[in-house]
Amino acid sequence: MKKNRRLFVKKLGLAGAGVAAGTSLFAQEKQTINILKRPYHRVSSDVINYGWIGAGGMGNANINTLLKHEGVKVTAVCDLYQGRLNDAKKLLGDDIFTTMDYKELLKRKDIDAVVIATPDHWHLPISMDALKAGKHVYCEKPVVHSVDQGLKLIDAWKKSGKIYMVGSQGMSSLGNEKARELLEAGAIGDINYAEGFWARHSPTGAWQYPIPADASEKTVDWKKFISNTTERPFDPMRFFRWRNYLDYGTGMSGDLFVHLFSSLHFVTNSLGPNEVSATGGLRYWKDGREVPDVLLGMFQYPDSEQHPGFNLSLRCNFVDGTSGSTYLKIVGSEGSMDITWNDVTVKRAKISDDDPYAKQNNAEGGMSDRKKILPPREIVYRAEEGYKGAHYDHHGNLLNAIRTGGTVAEDPIFAFRAAAPALLCNDSYFQNKFIKWDPVNMKVL
Protein backbone atom coordinates (compact mmCIF):
# COMPACT_ATOMS: atom_id res chain seq x y z
CA MET A 1 0.00 0.00 0.00
CA LYS A 2 2.48 2.60 -1.16
CA LYS A 3 1.47 6.25 -0.74
CA ASN A 4 3.27 9.42 -1.78
CA ARG A 5 3.17 13.17 -1.42
CA ARG A 6 1.84 13.75 -4.93
CA LEU A 7 -1.19 11.57 -4.25
CA PHE A 8 -1.79 13.35 -0.96
CA VAL A 9 -1.57 16.80 -2.50
CA LYS A 10 -3.93 15.73 -5.28
CA LYS A 11 -6.54 14.48 -2.81
CA LEU A 12 -5.97 17.06 -0.08
CA GLY A 13 -9.10 19.07 -0.82
CA LEU A 14 -11.44 16.10 -1.15
CA ALA A 15 -13.86 15.26 1.65
CA GLY A 16 -14.99 11.85 2.80
CA ALA A 17 -18.64 10.80 3.04
CA GLY A 18 -20.44 13.11 5.45
CA VAL A 19 -17.33 15.18 6.17
CA ALA A 20 -16.69 18.47 4.45
CA ALA A 21 -13.45 20.44 4.77
CA GLY A 22 -14.22 24.16 4.81
CA THR A 23 -12.12 27.12 3.73
CA SER A 24 -8.79 27.59 5.51
CA LEU A 25 -8.86 30.14 8.29
CA PHE A 26 -5.30 31.11 7.52
CA ALA A 27 -2.32 29.70 5.72
CA GLN A 28 1.32 30.04 6.69
CA GLU A 29 4.48 28.19 5.87
CA LYS A 30 4.17 26.54 9.28
CA GLN A 31 0.46 25.71 9.65
CA THR A 32 -2.83 25.57 7.78
CA ILE A 33 -6.21 25.14 9.50
CA ASN A 34 -9.28 23.65 7.82
CA ILE A 35 -12.78 23.35 9.27
CA LEU A 36 -14.66 20.04 9.22
CA LYS A 37 -18.44 20.19 8.86
CA ARG A 38 -21.21 17.66 9.37
CA PRO A 39 -24.42 18.05 7.35
CA TYR A 40 -27.41 16.73 9.32
CA HIS A 41 -30.70 15.50 7.88
CA ARG A 42 -33.44 13.20 9.11
CA VAL A 43 -34.06 10.27 6.79
CA SER A 44 -37.68 9.55 7.84
CA SER A 45 -40.41 10.56 10.25
CA ASP A 46 -40.63 7.15 11.95
CA VAL A 47 -40.61 7.20 15.74
CA ILE A 48 -38.31 4.57 17.29
CA ASN A 49 -39.20 3.31 20.77
CA TYR A 50 -36.30 2.39 23.06
CA GLY A 51 -35.89 0.27 26.14
CA TRP A 52 -33.12 1.35 28.52
CA ILE A 53 -31.19 -1.41 30.30
CA GLY A 54 -28.60 -0.14 32.79
CA ALA A 55 -29.32 3.35 34.11
CA GLY A 56 -25.92 4.25 35.56
CA GLY A 57 -23.39 6.79 34.27
CA MET A 58 -23.04 5.63 30.67
CA GLY A 59 -26.69 4.65 30.51
CA ASN A 60 -27.68 8.22 31.36
CA ALA A 61 -25.14 9.62 28.90
CA ASN A 62 -26.56 7.43 26.14
CA ILE A 63 -30.20 8.23 26.84
CA ASN A 64 -29.65 11.97 27.20
CA THR A 65 -27.74 11.98 23.91
CA LEU A 66 -30.31 9.79 22.19
CA LEU A 67 -33.16 12.08 23.22
CA LYS A 68 -31.50 14.98 21.39
CA HIS A 69 -32.50 13.23 18.17
CA GLU A 70 -35.96 13.68 16.69
CA GLY A 71 -38.31 10.72 16.53
CA VAL A 72 -37.04 8.93 19.64
CA LYS A 73 -39.10 7.78 22.64
CA VAL A 74 -37.95 5.82 25.70
CA THR A 75 -40.79 3.61 26.95
CA ALA A 76 -39.18 1.41 29.60
CA VAL A 77 -36.12 1.26 31.86
CA CYS A 78 -34.42 -1.56 33.77
CA ASP A 79 -31.79 -1.37 36.50
CA LEU A 80 -30.83 -3.46 39.52
CA TYR A 81 -30.73 -0.44 41.86
CA GLN A 82 -34.04 1.15 42.82
CA GLY A 83 -32.52 4.60 43.15
CA ARG A 84 -31.67 4.68 39.45
CA LEU A 85 -35.20 3.66 38.52
CA ASN A 86 -36.50 6.57 40.61
CA ASP A 87 -34.08 8.92 38.82
CA ALA A 88 -35.22 7.59 35.45
CA LYS A 89 -38.82 8.49 36.32
CA LYS A 90 -37.71 12.03 37.15
CA LEU A 91 -36.07 12.25 33.73
CA LEU A 92 -38.72 10.51 31.62
CA GLY A 93 -41.94 10.87 33.61
CA ASP A 94 -43.81 8.84 36.22
CA ASP A 95 -45.63 6.80 33.57
CA ILE A 96 -42.40 5.15 32.34
CA PHE A 97 -42.34 1.38 32.84
CA THR A 98 -39.62 0.36 35.32
CA THR A 99 -38.34 -3.08 36.28
CA MET A 100 -35.37 -4.91 37.79
CA ASP A 101 -35.84 -7.79 35.34
CA TYR A 102 -34.62 -7.01 31.83
CA LYS A 103 -36.57 -9.95 30.42
CA GLU A 104 -39.81 -8.18 31.41
CA LEU A 105 -38.66 -5.18 29.40
CA LEU A 106 -37.80 -7.33 26.36
CA LYS A 107 -41.30 -8.82 26.34
CA ARG A 108 -42.85 -5.45 25.59
CA LYS A 109 -44.19 -5.00 22.05
CA ASP A 110 -43.77 -1.23 22.18
CA ILE A 111 -39.96 -1.45 22.13
CA ASP A 112 -38.05 -1.41 18.82
CA ALA A 113 -34.50 -1.13 20.17
CA VAL A 114 -32.61 -1.31 23.45
CA VAL A 115 -29.63 0.50 24.93
CA ILE A 116 -27.51 -1.91 27.00
CA ALA A 117 -25.27 0.00 29.42
CA THR A 118 -24.76 -2.62 32.10
CA PRO A 119 -21.53 -3.94 33.64
CA ASP A 120 -19.53 -5.90 31.07
CA HIS A 121 -20.42 -9.37 32.36
CA TRP A 122 -24.06 -8.83 31.35
CA HIS A 123 -23.40 -7.63 27.78
CA LEU A 124 -23.54 -11.05 26.14
CA PRO A 125 -26.58 -12.59 27.89
CA ILE A 126 -28.73 -9.47 27.55
CA SER A 127 -27.64 -8.99 23.93
CA MET A 128 -28.49 -12.59 23.05
CA ASP A 129 -31.92 -12.29 24.66
CA ALA A 130 -32.59 -8.90 23.04
CA LEU A 131 -31.78 -10.25 19.56
CA LYS A 132 -34.01 -13.29 20.17
CA ALA A 133 -36.79 -10.91 21.19
CA GLY A 134 -36.47 -9.10 17.87
CA LYS A 135 -34.94 -5.87 19.18
CA HIS A 136 -32.25 -3.74 17.57
CA VAL A 137 -29.35 -3.21 19.97
CA TYR A 138 -26.99 -0.44 21.05
CA CYS A 139 -24.51 -2.00 23.51
CA GLU A 140 -21.71 -0.32 25.39
CA LYS A 141 -18.14 -1.41 24.80
CA PRO A 142 -16.45 -3.79 25.19
CA VAL A 143 -19.01 -5.84 23.29
CA VAL A 144 -18.17 -8.98 25.33
CA HIS A 145 -16.64 -9.76 28.71
CA SER A 146 -14.20 -12.41 27.44
CA VAL A 147 -12.73 -13.44 24.09
CA ASP A 148 -14.55 -16.78 24.03
CA GLN A 149 -17.90 -14.94 23.87
CA GLY A 150 -17.24 -13.01 20.66
CA LEU A 151 -18.14 -15.56 17.99
CA LYS A 152 -21.29 -16.58 19.91
CA LEU A 153 -22.58 -13.03 19.73
CA ILE A 154 -21.65 -12.63 16.06
CA ASP A 155 -23.52 -15.82 15.20
CA ALA A 156 -26.61 -14.71 17.13
CA TRP A 157 -26.55 -11.30 15.46
CA LYS A 158 -26.28 -12.77 11.96
CA LYS A 159 -29.23 -15.09 12.61
CA SER A 160 -31.39 -12.33 14.09
CA GLY A 161 -31.56 -10.01 11.08
CA LYS A 162 -31.42 -7.08 13.51
CA ILE A 163 -29.07 -4.11 13.63
CA TYR A 164 -26.47 -4.12 16.40
CA MET A 165 -24.28 -1.13 17.22
CA VAL A 166 -21.48 -1.01 19.79
CA GLY A 167 -20.78 2.18 21.70
CA SER A 168 -17.25 3.28 20.88
CA GLN A 169 -18.47 6.76 20.01
CA GLY A 170 -15.29 7.92 18.30
CA MET A 171 -16.11 5.59 15.42
CA SER A 172 -18.62 8.16 14.16
CA SER A 173 -16.50 11.26 14.79
CA LEU A 174 -15.42 13.89 12.32
CA GLY A 175 -11.84 13.44 13.50
CA ASN A 176 -11.68 9.71 12.78
CA GLU A 177 -13.40 10.05 9.43
CA LYS A 178 -10.99 12.75 8.26
CA ALA A 179 -7.97 10.78 9.53
CA ARG A 180 -9.09 7.72 7.58
CA GLU A 181 -9.44 9.77 4.41
CA LEU A 182 -6.04 11.41 4.89
CA LEU A 183 -4.25 8.13 5.53
CA GLU A 184 -5.79 6.59 2.43
CA ALA A 185 -4.72 9.65 0.42
CA GLY A 186 -1.10 9.16 1.48
CA ALA A 187 -0.83 12.11 3.85
CA ILE A 188 1.86 10.47 5.99
CA GLY A 189 3.15 7.78 3.63
CA ASP A 190 3.18 4.18 4.83
CA ILE A 191 2.22 3.59 8.47
CA ASN A 192 4.91 1.96 10.59
CA TYR A 193 3.99 2.89 14.19
CA ALA A 194 1.04 4.08 16.27
CA GLU A 195 0.56 5.00 19.89
CA GLY A 196 -2.31 5.93 22.17
CA PHE A 197 -2.55 7.30 25.70
CA TRP A 198 -5.30 7.83 28.27
CA ALA A 199 -4.51 9.79 31.44
CA ARG A 200 -6.63 10.41 34.55
CA HIS A 201 -5.97 11.56 38.10
CA SER A 202 -9.22 11.71 40.08
CA PRO A 203 -11.27 9.31 42.23
CA THR A 204 -14.15 9.22 39.75
CA GLY A 205 -11.79 8.85 36.82
CA ALA A 206 -10.22 5.90 38.61
CA TRP A 207 -13.69 4.33 39.09
CA GLN A 208 -14.19 5.21 42.75
CA TYR A 209 -17.82 5.98 41.96
CA PRO A 210 -20.10 7.32 44.72
CA ILE A 211 -21.94 4.67 46.75
CA PRO A 212 -25.51 5.75 47.65
CA ALA A 213 -26.34 5.97 51.34
CA ASP A 214 -29.35 3.66 50.89
CA ALA A 215 -27.37 0.88 49.18
CA SER A 216 -28.53 -2.44 50.63
CA GLU A 217 -30.06 -5.71 49.55
CA LYS A 218 -33.44 -3.98 49.91
CA THR A 219 -32.60 -1.49 47.16
CA VAL A 220 -30.18 -3.60 45.06
CA ASP A 221 -30.92 -6.95 43.39
CA TRP A 222 -27.52 -8.35 44.32
CA LYS A 223 -28.45 -11.95 43.62
CA LYS A 224 -29.34 -11.11 40.04
CA PHE A 225 -26.16 -9.06 39.61
CA ILE A 226 -23.88 -11.97 40.55
CA SER A 227 -26.08 -14.77 39.16
CA ASN A 228 -23.70 -15.44 36.23
CA THR A 229 -20.48 -15.02 38.27
CA THR A 230 -19.03 -16.06 41.63
CA GLU A 231 -21.39 -16.35 44.60
CA ARG A 232 -20.54 -13.67 47.22
CA PRO A 233 -22.26 -11.82 50.06
CA PHE A 234 -23.63 -8.38 49.24
CA ASP A 235 -20.82 -5.89 48.60
CA PRO A 236 -21.77 -2.33 47.56
CA MET A 237 -18.18 -1.69 46.43
CA ARG A 238 -18.44 -4.48 43.88
CA PHE A 239 -21.86 -3.37 42.71
CA PHE A 240 -21.27 0.37 42.32
CA ARG A 241 -17.52 0.23 41.52
CA TRP A 242 -17.74 -2.88 39.36
CA ARG A 243 -15.04 -1.80 36.89
CA ASN A 244 -12.41 -2.63 39.53
CA TYR A 245 -13.28 -6.33 39.64
CA LEU A 246 -12.69 -8.99 37.01
CA ASP A 247 -15.97 -10.84 37.59
CA TYR A 248 -17.85 -7.82 36.22
CA GLY A 249 -15.45 -5.49 34.40
CA THR A 250 -12.50 -5.64 32.01
CA GLY A 251 -10.06 -3.19 33.59
CA MET A 252 -8.32 -0.27 31.94
CA SER A 253 -7.91 -2.05 28.62
CA GLY A 254 -11.56 -3.07 28.29
CA ASP A 255 -12.80 0.35 29.35
CA LEU A 256 -10.32 2.62 27.54
CA PHE A 257 -7.91 0.75 25.25
CA VAL A 258 -10.93 -0.52 23.32
CA HIS A 259 -11.76 3.09 22.32
CA LEU A 260 -8.24 3.49 20.92
CA PHE A 261 -8.41 0.15 19.11
CA SER A 262 -11.75 1.10 17.57
CA SER A 263 -10.43 4.41 16.27
CA LEU A 264 -7.16 2.90 15.02
CA HIS A 265 -8.88 0.05 13.21
CA PHE A 266 -11.39 2.42 11.63
CA VAL A 267 -8.71 4.83 10.42
CA THR A 268 -6.37 2.11 9.09
CA ASN A 269 -9.08 -0.37 8.00
CA SER A 270 -7.17 -2.93 10.07
CA LEU A 271 -8.43 -6.30 11.27
CA GLY A 272 -6.17 -6.16 14.32
CA PRO A 273 -2.85 -7.32 15.76
CA ASN A 274 -1.46 -10.86 15.75
CA GLU A 275 0.59 -10.54 18.95
CA VAL A 276 -0.29 -8.97 22.30
CA SER A 277 1.76 -8.24 25.41
CA ALA A 278 1.24 -6.09 28.49
CA THR A 279 2.83 -4.87 31.69
CA GLY A 280 1.81 -2.47 34.45
CA GLY A 281 0.91 -2.40 38.11
CA LEU A 282 -1.23 -1.08 40.94
CA ARG A 283 0.59 2.10 41.95
CA TYR A 284 -1.84 4.36 43.77
CA TRP A 285 -5.53 3.34 43.94
CA LYS A 286 -5.01 0.49 46.42
CA ASP A 287 -8.64 0.20 47.42
CA GLY A 288 -9.11 -3.55 47.04
CA ARG A 289 -9.38 -3.47 43.26
CA GLU A 290 -8.18 -6.42 41.21
CA VAL A 291 -6.91 -4.49 38.19
CA PRO A 292 -3.88 -2.20 37.64
CA ASP A 293 -4.03 1.59 37.58
CA VAL A 294 -1.04 1.82 35.21
CA LEU A 295 -1.10 -0.37 32.13
CA LEU A 296 1.08 -0.54 29.01
CA GLY A 297 0.30 -2.71 26.02
CA MET A 298 2.45 -3.59 22.99
CA PHE A 299 0.89 -4.98 19.82
CA GLN A 300 2.29 -6.35 16.56
CA TYR A 301 0.21 -5.69 13.43
CA PRO A 302 1.15 -7.94 10.49
CA ASP A 303 1.45 -7.05 6.82
CA SER A 304 -2.00 -7.25 5.26
CA GLU A 305 -4.02 -6.12 2.27
CA GLN A 306 -5.19 -3.18 4.36
CA HIS A 307 -1.82 -1.83 5.52
CA PRO A 308 1.90 -2.59 5.95
CA GLY A 309 2.99 -4.18 9.21
CA PHE A 310 3.35 -1.75 12.12
CA ASN A 311 3.75 -1.62 15.89
CA LEU A 312 1.26 -0.17 18.37
CA SER A 313 1.96 1.09 21.88
CA LEU A 314 -0.93 1.90 24.26
CA ARG A 315 -0.68 3.41 27.73
CA CYS A 316 -3.18 4.16 30.45
CA ASN A 317 -2.34 5.95 33.69
CA PHE A 318 -4.77 6.69 36.52
CA VAL A 319 -1.97 8.29 38.58
CA ASP A 320 -1.08 10.97 36.03
CA GLY A 321 -0.56 14.22 37.91
CA THR A 322 0.20 16.25 34.78
CA SER A 323 -2.87 15.86 32.58
CA GLY A 324 -6.24 14.31 31.91
CA SER A 325 -5.66 13.83 28.23
CA THR A 326 -6.16 11.18 25.59
CA TYR A 327 -4.77 10.92 22.09
CA LEU A 328 -4.05 8.60 19.20
CA LYS A 329 -0.98 9.16 17.02
CA ILE A 330 -0.24 7.38 13.75
CA VAL A 331 3.29 7.66 12.37
CA GLY A 332 4.23 7.01 8.76
CA SER A 333 7.23 7.22 6.49
CA GLU A 334 6.51 10.84 5.54
CA GLY A 335 4.77 12.32 8.57
CA SER A 336 2.35 11.71 11.42
CA MET A 337 -1.24 12.34 12.43
CA ASP A 338 -2.46 13.32 15.91
CA ILE A 339 -6.11 12.27 16.07
CA THR A 340 -8.94 13.18 18.44
CA TRP A 341 -12.67 12.89 17.87
CA ASN A 342 -12.85 16.60 17.00
CA ASP A 343 -9.65 17.29 15.10
CA VAL A 344 -6.68 15.90 13.20
CA THR A 345 -3.21 17.45 12.99
CA VAL A 346 -1.03 16.25 10.13
CA LYS A 347 2.70 16.88 10.54
CA ARG A 348 4.67 16.27 7.34
CA ALA A 349 8.46 16.11 7.27
CA LYS A 350 10.29 18.75 5.28
CA ILE A 351 13.84 18.27 4.04
CA SER A 352 16.04 20.95 2.49
CA ASP A 353 19.31 20.91 0.54
CA ASP A 354 20.17 24.40 1.83
CA ASP A 355 22.63 23.12 4.43
CA PRO A 356 25.97 24.98 4.88
CA TYR A 357 27.56 21.91 6.46
CA ALA A 358 26.58 19.81 3.45
CA LYS A 359 27.94 22.47 1.04
CA GLN A 360 31.27 22.57 2.88
CA ASN A 361 31.57 18.80 2.79
CA ASN A 362 30.67 18.77 -0.88
CA ALA A 363 33.46 21.24 -1.58
CA GLU A 364 35.90 19.07 0.36
CA GLY A 365 34.68 15.90 -1.33
CA GLY A 366 32.68 14.84 1.71
CA MET A 367 29.04 13.86 2.15
CA SER A 368 27.15 14.93 -0.98
CA ASP A 369 23.73 13.60 -0.01
CA ARG A 370 23.35 15.10 3.45
CA LYS A 371 19.92 16.66 4.06
CA LYS A 372 18.78 19.17 6.64
CA ILE A 373 15.69 18.26 8.68
CA LEU A 374 13.36 21.22 9.17
CA PRO A 375 10.37 21.51 11.52
CA PRO A 376 7.38 19.71 10.00
CA ARG A 377 4.61 21.65 8.37
CA GLU A 378 1.30 21.27 10.19
CA ILE A 379 -2.11 20.95 8.57
CA VAL A 380 -4.96 21.03 11.08
CA TYR A 381 -8.50 19.81 10.48
CA ARG A 382 -10.91 20.95 13.19
CA ALA A 383 -14.62 20.38 13.83
CA GLU A 384 -16.78 23.42 13.24
CA GLU A 385 -18.17 25.47 16.10
CA GLY A 386 -21.38 23.89 17.34
CA TYR A 387 -20.50 20.35 16.18
CA LYS A 388 -22.92 18.04 17.99
CA GLY A 389 -20.21 15.51 18.73
CA ALA A 390 -19.26 11.90 18.11
CA HIS A 391 -21.70 10.49 20.65
CA TYR A 392 -24.62 12.23 18.94
CA ASP A 393 -23.46 11.04 15.53
CA HIS A 394 -22.97 7.46 16.76
CA HIS A 395 -26.57 7.18 17.92
CA GLY A 396 -27.68 8.91 14.72
CA ASN A 397 -25.83 6.27 12.74
CA LEU A 398 -27.92 3.54 14.40
CA LEU A 399 -31.20 5.46 14.03
CA ASN A 400 -30.59 5.95 10.31
CA ALA A 401 -29.72 2.27 9.89
CA ILE A 402 -32.92 1.18 11.66
CA ARG A 403 -35.05 3.50 9.54
CA THR A 404 -33.43 2.57 6.23
CA GLY A 405 -32.36 -1.03 6.82
CA GLY A 406 -28.76 0.09 6.44
CA THR A 407 -25.51 -0.72 8.18
CA VAL A 408 -23.70 0.82 11.15
CA ALA A 409 -20.15 1.96 11.79
CA GLU A 410 -19.50 -0.58 14.54
CA ASP A 411 -21.26 -3.92 14.12
CA PRO A 412 -20.39 -6.98 16.29
CA ILE A 413 -17.63 -8.16 13.93
CA PHE A 414 -15.81 -4.84 13.95
CA ALA A 415 -16.47 -4.43 17.68
CA PHE A 416 -15.10 -7.87 18.56
CA ARG A 417 -11.93 -7.23 16.57
CA ALA A 418 -11.46 -4.05 18.62
CA ALA A 419 -12.38 -5.69 21.94
CA ALA A 420 -10.34 -8.88 21.54
CA PRO A 421 -6.83 -7.33 21.73
CA ALA A 422 -7.97 -5.23 24.70
CA LEU A 423 -9.23 -8.32 26.52
CA LEU A 424 -6.10 -10.25 25.58
CA CYS A 425 -4.07 -7.39 27.01
CA ASN A 426 -5.59 -8.28 30.39
CA ASP A 427 -4.77 -11.94 29.85
CA SER A 428 -1.19 -11.08 28.96
CA TYR A 429 -0.85 -8.91 32.07
CA PHE A 430 -2.23 -11.48 34.50
CA GLN A 431 -0.58 -14.49 32.85
CA ASN A 432 2.73 -12.65 32.23
CA LYS A 433 3.13 -13.89 28.66
CA PHE A 434 2.85 -12.95 24.99
CA ILE A 435 -0.42 -14.01 23.35
CA LYS A 436 -0.88 -14.87 19.69
CA TRP A 437 -4.13 -13.80 18.02
CA ASP A 438 -5.59 -14.55 14.59
CA PRO A 439 -7.26 -11.26 13.57
CA VAL A 440 -8.81 -12.73 10.42
CA ASN A 441 -10.54 -15.74 12.00
CA MET A 442 -10.84 -14.03 15.40
CA LYS A 443 -9.34 -16.72 17.62
CA VAL A 444 -6.47 -17.23 20.04
CA LEU A 445 -3.60 -19.29 18.64
Side-chain angles (χ1 to χ4, degrees), residues 169-187:
Q169 309 94 314
M171 288 286 300
S172 298
S173 68
L174 283 171
N176 277 3
E177 291 173 15
K178 192 62 184 179
R180 177 176 173 137
E181 173 199 342
L182 291 167
L183 183 66
E184 175 61 27

Side-chain angles (χ1 to χ4, degrees), residues 75-363:
T75 61
V77 59
C78 172
D79 198 272
L80 297 182
Y81 169 52
Q82 184 61 48
R84 291 179 185 150
L85 296 179
N86 297 338
D87 290 341
K89 284 189 174 184
K90 294 177 184 177
L91 174 66
L92 302 169
D94 287 336
D95 59 341
I96 193 78
F97 174 80
T98 62
T99 179
M100 286 188 172
D101 184 352
Y102 76 85
K103 292 184 179 180
E104 290 298 316
L105 182 149
L106 294 178
K107 290 178 182 178
R108 294 180 63 93
K109 303 299 183 184
D110 60 347
I111 292 177
D112 305 304
V114 294
V115 169
I116 301 172
T118 65
D120 302 344
H121 70 304
W122 278 105
H123 287 180
L124 178 69
I126 297 177
S127 293
M128 299 280 277
D129 288 340
L131 292 171
K132 288 178 183 177
K135 313 301 184 187
H136 302 293
V137 175
Y138 182 103
C139 182
E140 269 303 313
K141 51 73 201 162
V143 66
V144 289
H145 188 229
S146 60
V147 170
D148 61 357
Q149 296 177 342
L151 295 181
K152 296 176 186 178
L153 176 62
I154 291 170
D155 183 59
W157 164 62
K158 288 181 176 179
K159 290 177 179 177
S160 73
K162 294 299 173 178
I163 298 169
Y164 191 112
M165 167 79 96
V166 178
S168 291
Q169 309 94 314
M171 288 286 300
S172 298
S173 68
L174 283 171
N176 277 3
E177 291 173 15
K178 192 62 184 179
R180 177 176 173 137
E181 173 199 342
L182 291 167
L183 183 66
E184 175 61 27
I188 62 171
D190 288 331
I191 180 175
N192 55 61
Y193 173 72
E195 64 178 348
F197 182 47
W198 212 296
R200 291 177 176 176
H201 193 36
S202 71
T204 302
W207 308 327
Q208 285 191 338
Y209 303 133
I211 297 176
D214 68 345
S216 72
E217 287 190 88
K218 293 182 179 180
T219 59
V220 173
D221 191 343
W222 173 253
K223 290 184 178 180
K224 181 67 173 180
F225 179 73
I226 64 169
S227 61
N228 61 351
T229 65
T230 306
E231 179 73 23
R232 300 176 189 274
F234 175 66
D235 186 343
M237 293 273 284
R238 284 179 170 267
F239 184 83
F240 290 100
R241 299 178 180 176
W242 57 269
R243 291 191 186 278
N244 292 317
Y245 306 97
L246 294 172
D247 273 355
Y248 330 112
T250 50
M252 303 173 92
S253 56
D255 184 35
L256 299 174
F257 279 8
V258 70
H259 276 304
L260 299 168
F261 279 117
S262 298
S263 292
L264 177 70
H265 291 181
F266 177 80
V267 172
T268 62
N269 200 30
S270 179
L271 301 184
N274 62 357
E275 188 172 87
V276 177
S277 63
T279 188
L282 187 56
R283 311 302 182 194
Y284 183 82
W285 300 101
K286 299 178 181 180
D287 52 5
R289 67 183 61 201
E290 299 169 349
V291 293
D293 55 14
V294 174
L295 186 67
L296 299 94
M298 300 295 291
F299 310 88
Q300 175 74 38
Y301 280 71
D303 285 316
S304 67
E305 293 182 6
Q306 292 78 24
H307 54 69
F310 65 92
N311 294 90
L312 169 67
S313 168
L314 296 182
R315 297 176 290 142
C316 194
N317 186 0
F318 282 178
V319 204
D320 192 310
T322 65
S323 70
S325 62
T326 179
Y327 68 80
L328 175 65
K329 178 190 286 289
I330 299 178
V331 179
S333 56
E334 298 184 20
S336 68
M337 286 194 294
D338 296 338
I339 306 164
T340 75
W341 294 352
N342 288 342
D343 55 63
V344 182
T345 300
V346 179
K347 299 177 181 179
R348 301 181 65 225
K350 295 178 64 178
I351 298 176
S352 172
D353 288 317
D354 186 19
D355 184 341
Y357 181 77
K359 290 180 179 179
Q360 178 181 351
N361 276 274
N362 288 343

